[in-house]
Amino acid sequence: MAREDQDPTSITTALLTLLNVSATRAGKRKVQEEVFVPAEKLNKRKSARISETASTPEAADAESHEEQVPEKEETVQEESNDALDVTDAYELHFGNDPPILSESSRVAVEAKSWTTSKTRNGCLGNIILERLHTPFKARQSKQPREQTNLQNDLLSTLSTRRDLYLTSTPLDSRKSIREAIALHAVNHVTKKRRRVLKNNERLAHAAKTDSNAEPPLDVQDQGFTRPSVLFLLPFRSSALDWYSAITAHTPSPAFQIENQARFTSEYGLPPGTIDKLAEAEPGTYPLDHVETFKGNVDDNFRVGVKLTKKSVKMFAEFYGCDVILASPLGLRRSIEKEKNADYLSSIEVLVVDQLDALSMQNWDHVKFVLSHINKLPKESHDTDFSRLRPWYLEGHAAYLRQSIFLAAYETPEARALYNNDLMNVAGKIRTQKQWSPVSVPEGIQQDFVHFDCASPKDEADKRFNYFTTQLLSTVLKSAVQSANTAVFIPSSFDFIRVQNYFKKHSGVSFAILSEYSTNQDISRARQAFFQGKKSFLLISERFHFYKRHIRGIRNLLFYGPPDHPQFFTELLSYPFLDEGVESSDVTCRVLYSKYDWFRLERIAGTEAAAGLIKAT
């Protein structure tokens, strides 16, 4: 993929649109070709800066054609204008008869018949209710222009109601990204509530005017249950961040926050607790480690948030809330306990944040939760079926749900979710980054060792066989390389396999550091390895994700490239924590196959990784 020379801060997106997505059934309401009419363009530029800054340029192959539309002021208040705005993006996508929800579009989704184009997304049109838009613009005026541009481009993209997967979110942009997505979610809930209230008034007025008259026919405005937005998050501290992002759009005195003290108490650290990560001197811990693990890192939680015209209520009952903040583990335990997931049946906006952190937990929990979203409920839960949108009854909610994925880097598991589980007929957008090589201490010889593998089904066995019969056997023949050697293993399943092999066959002393190691186990293993009592140290990537710093390393064997590129830099830097170590004293070997593309690209850089793969 070629670099974009004209605008190094632009991103490349893979924009997936359905074949025949614009086809409509006979008799459907016709709409204008240009459907996204902005109330007021937040940003008039054509290039987007969604996930990258100038220091990390991304590739861009083409620039999409953009039709300019007249700007139109929207001053709709919550109580005014009963008529349905057919140009409103919310009504077009989630209305009773969405034009994109045709039989041909659903068939195309099921068959995965997507057409792919690469484009730089600019301002695609944005409609935010004036009540939310005005204070948001006031806050934007006080922040750096780069953050404002990023938020405007992101909101413009989200207004298209396509799925969005940001595959590389920089640490310094995450707060701005959260605030923009939170505004999109609050705007969604507000528009949905406004439509329900307007229809309530219409029904009451019709009954009062003529009690014998038939009620209006176009009042279908609800789902099976009330919750329409789900935030899937790894830690309680993450929920606290998103709470702050949501309430930034509901300031006092216009809004009252109920149960705020209880929420901040339960989702923050206990009073008097010192957060050693947050309080440590800058540079003591890696910045990504601090940002991930500061605060309350409990991964078992779920909380409902109810939004009304003048209040935000935390800890709302699940079937009476609008937004759910939860971890995959917390939702799974709830679903298994209650024997149903009916409160997830009407989710219209799904936000999965920190996919990289979730992949270091139990990924099966993520897949479990996603498999229960937008299913037909087992109970009625007092649903007024006369108000139910037709596509809910037809089981088509998943075709309209907008999913938003956020990650620091991309993994095969997350890409599989994106490819196979997102069924939005409006299409989906995925960003692509042009990676540069990671920095490593100068002078260290890095040896990337390739093994052949024709099928991903055989990859685990092929890797294990090559490691044990070729790579490890060579290392054991060297007196120098068979001591002070750390073996880094990304997969937990591979870690157990290699550990069992060392127990039965290697004939060398070794220690292990895994995510299940206790503090006492960690201290004992680190000390034995540093003092040379153990020749090998087996390290799982999940251990390194949660814990850092290992001394005594002279030789590094990567069973596979790490998911997080920073881990590669850190592990190659650890030998120099000891005095008197020269670059020539350190060896590094990385075992890889063509199926390690994502991880290899982040370490060697996109161009170099492509060369390594092609050379095999």
Side-chain angles (χ1 to χ4, degrees):
M1 188 181 298
R3 290 180 180 272
E4 174 60 48
D5 297 328
Q6 295 180 353
D7 186 1
T9 61
S10 67
I11 66 161
T12 296
T13 60
L15 177 59
L16 298 162
T17 53
L18 285 170
L19 293 174
N20 301 322
V21 72
S22 61
T24 56
R25 294 186 295 268
K28 289 185 67 125
R29 180 176 64 251
K30 301 297 182 181
V31 297
Q32 297 178 355
E33 182 179 355
E34 176 54 60
V35 296
F36 299 108
V37 181
E40 178 183 354
K41 285 197 173 183
L42 295 178
N43 178 22
K44 299 179 177 65
R45 297 173 301 106
K46 288 189 178 181
S47 62
R49 295 175 176 85
I50 293 180
S51 65
E52 285 307 308
T53 61
S55 61
T56 54
E58 301 213 358
D61 289 349
E63 188 171 313
S64 60
H65 176 69
E66 181 180 2
E67 294 288 337
Q68 296 295 329
V69 294
E71 295 190 11
K72 178 180 178 182
E73 181 94 9
E74 180 176 9
T75 57
V76 176
Q77 302 298 322
E78 298 229 357
E79 301 81 12
S80 63
N81 189 11
D82 289 340
L84 179 67
D85 182 5
V86 295
T87 67
D88 184 276
Y90 170 83
E91 296 292 350
L92 282 167
H93 192 82
F94 292 107
N96 292 341
D97 196 17
I100 59 174
L101 189 60
S102 63
E103 182 178 357
S104 60
S105 66
R106 297 196 305 272
V107 171
V109 166
E110 294 293 345
K112 295 182 172 57
S113 299
W114 304 90
T115 58
T116 304
S117 61
K118 296 177 182 178
T119 180
R120 288 182 303 170
N121 267 344
C123 190
L124 303 179
N126 187 43
I127 301 177
I128 300 294
L129 290 175
E130 189 71 17
R131 189 184 185 202
L132 301 172
H133 180 255
T134 301
F136 177 64
K137 292 291 290 184
R139 289 195 306 276
Q140 283 190 324
S141 65
K142 302 176 183 179
Q143 67 184 16
R145 183 177 180 84
E146 292 76 11
Q147 301 298 325
T148 297
N149 291 340
L150 180 145
Q151 290 179 329
N152 292 345
D153 289 331
L154 184 54
L155 284 166
S156 297
T157 303
L158 292 174
S159 71
T160 68
R161 297 293 170 174
R162 293 183 176 99
D163 294 338
L164 178 62
Y165 180 14
L166 299 184
T167 60
S168 177
T169 54
L171 290 175
D172 57 357
S173 298
R174 292 183 184 179
K175 182 178 180 181
S176 297
I177 291 173
R178 281 196 300 267
E179 186 172 330
I181 294 175
L183 175 59
H184 178 69
V186 173
N187 185 61
H188 178 89
V189 171
T190 304
K191 286 192 173 186
K192 182 176 181 178
R193 184 187 70 245
R194 185 180 67 165
R195 176 53 53 196
V196 171
L197 294 177
K198 288 181 183 298
N199 286 336
N200 288 346
E201 293 178 1
R202 292 175 60 204
L203 288 170
H205 179 73
K208 184 177 180 180
T209 303
D210 185 356
S211 58
N212 296 322
E214 291 290 331
L217 299 178
D218 58 342
V219 293
Q220 291 84 6
D221 51 19
Q222 300 175 24
F224 292 108
T225 55
R226 179 165 177 167
S228 60
V229 179
L230 170 63
F231 289 89
L232 208 56
L233 313 168
F235 306 114
R236 285 183 181 247
S237 59
S238 309
L240 192 60
D241 289 338
W242 280 99
Y243 158 81
S244 299
I246 292 171
T247 54
H249 305 296
T250 57
S252 61
F255 290 85
Q256 178 183 357
I257 312 297
E258 300 182 29
N259 299 323
Q260 181 178 15
R262 176 188 169 189
F263 181 80
T264 54
S265 173
E266 293 187 15
Y267 283 74
L269 291 174
T273 302
I274 298 177
D275 191 337
K276 68 176 184 178
L277 292 178
E279 299 297 329
E281 291 290 330
T284 304
Y285 300 97
L287 184 58
D288 70 286
H289 188 72
V290 175
E291 290 298 317
T292 300
F293 291 106
K294 68 180 181 181
N296 190 333
V297 292
D298 177 36
D299 63 351
N300 181 20
F301 64 91
R302 63 188 185 103
V303 61
V305 184
K306 181 179 181 179
L307 300 176
T308 66
K309 184 179 179 181
K310 296 183 178 181
S311 69
V312 177
K313 181 179 180 180
M314 307 304 296
F315 297 101
E317 194 271 330
F318 260 31
Y319 288 97
C321 72
D322 299 290
V323 178
I324 296 175
L325 303 173
S327 66
L329 175 61
L331 281 183
R332 180 165 192 168
R333 288 186 172 181
S334 168
I335 292 170
E336 291 177 341
K337 180 180 179 180
E338 299 177 14
K339 307 300 183 184
N340 71 65
D342 291 353
Y343 50 78
L344 301 180
S345 63
S346 303
I347 296 298
E348 296 172 350
V349 177
L350 167 67
V351 181
V352 186
D353 192 17
Q354 295 175 266
L355 275 164
D356 47 301
L358 291 172
S359 69
M360 291 295 172
Q361 297 175 349
N362 192 331
W363 188 254
D364 187 57
H365 295 336
V366 177
K367 295 193 295 182
F368 178 87
V369 171
L370 264 61
S371 69
H372 284 76
I373 298 178
N374 296 134
K375 303 299 182 183
L376 294 175
K378 296 182 178 180
E379 301 177 15
S380 64
H381 302 285
D382 298 322
T383 301
D384 183 353
F385 287 90
S386 67
R387 301 284 293 274
L388 196 63
R389 295 193 186 277
W391 41 268
Y392 272 114
L393 283 172
E394 296 168 356
H396 295 159
Y399 295 106
L400 295 174
R401 184 188 73 230
Q402 182 181 34
S403 300
I404 304 167
F405 287 178
L406 306 174
Y409 54 82
E410 193 171 15
T411 64
E413 294 82 3
R415 177 68 74 86
L417 281 185
Y418 174 83
N419 288 340
N420 301 323
D421 289 47
L422 303 190
M423 305 171 65
N424 189 347
V425 293
K428 46 189 178 181
I429 299 172
R430 172 175 54 82
T431 62
Q432 292 180 338
K433 177 179 178 179
Q434 187 85 4
W435 290 87
S436 300
V438 297
S439 300
V440 298
E442 186 177 356
I444 295 181
Q445 181 65 36
Q446 305 167 55
D447 186 12
F448 288 83
V449 182
H450 173 262
F451 68 95
D452 291 321
C453 184
S455 170
K457 295 181 180 179
D458 302 328
E459 195 266 351
D461 291 335
K462 294 280 188 179
R463 185 185 299 272
F464 178 76
N465 290 335
Y466 192 95
F467 177 80
T468 55
T469 61
Q470 302 290 329
L471 192 59
L472 184 61
S473 61
T474 302
V475 170
L476 292 175
K477 292 176 182 178
S478 170
V480 175
Q481 296 185 21
S482 59
N484 303 108
T485 301
V487 182
F488 182 89
I489 308 170
S491 166
S492 296
F493 298 105
D494 289 335
F495 182 85
I496 296 173
R497 192 174 189 179
V498 173
Q499 177 186 346
N500 291 335
Y501 178 85
F502 267 77
K503 288 180 179 179
K504 296 178 181 179
H505 303 289
S506 69
V508 297
S509 59
F510 70 97
I512 64 171
L513 291 174
S514 75
E515 60 270 30
Y516 301 109
S517 299
T518 64
N519 289 335
Q520 185 178 6
D521 294 335
I522 295 170
S523 177
R524 188 163 45 240
R526 281 174 169 169
Q527 186 175 12
F529 181 72
F530 178 69
Q531 295 176 350
K533 296 178 181 178
K534 301 292 184 181
S535 299
F536 284 77
L537 181 64
L538 308 185
I539 309 168
S540 73
E541 182 161 6
R542 286 187 178 180
F543 168 82
H544 194 72
F545 175 73
Y546 291 103
K547 309 286 184 180
R548 303 286 175 98
H549 295 302
I550 302 167
R551 298 182 62 185
I553 298 175
R554 297 295 181 272
N555 307 292
L556 265 166
L557 296 179
F558 286 89
Y559 191 80
D563 271 318
H564 200 309
Q566 180 66 24
F567 294 174
F568 190 78
T569 300
E570 292 172 6
L571 288 166
L572 285 178
S573 301
Y574 287 163
F576 301 96
L577 295 175
D578 305 326
E579 296 182 0
V581 177
E582 301 292 337
S583 297
S584 58
D585 300 330
V586 181
T587 66
C588 171
R589 299 185 183 186
V590 183
L591 186 61
Y592 76 96
S593 74
K594 62 182 179 181
Y595 300 111
D596 290 319
W597 166 254
F598 285 138
R599 294 181 286 186
L600 195 64
E601 177 189 30
R602 293 190 286 269
I603 293 171
T606 302
E607 294 181 3
L612 288 171
I613 296 297
K614 290 178 181 178
T616 59

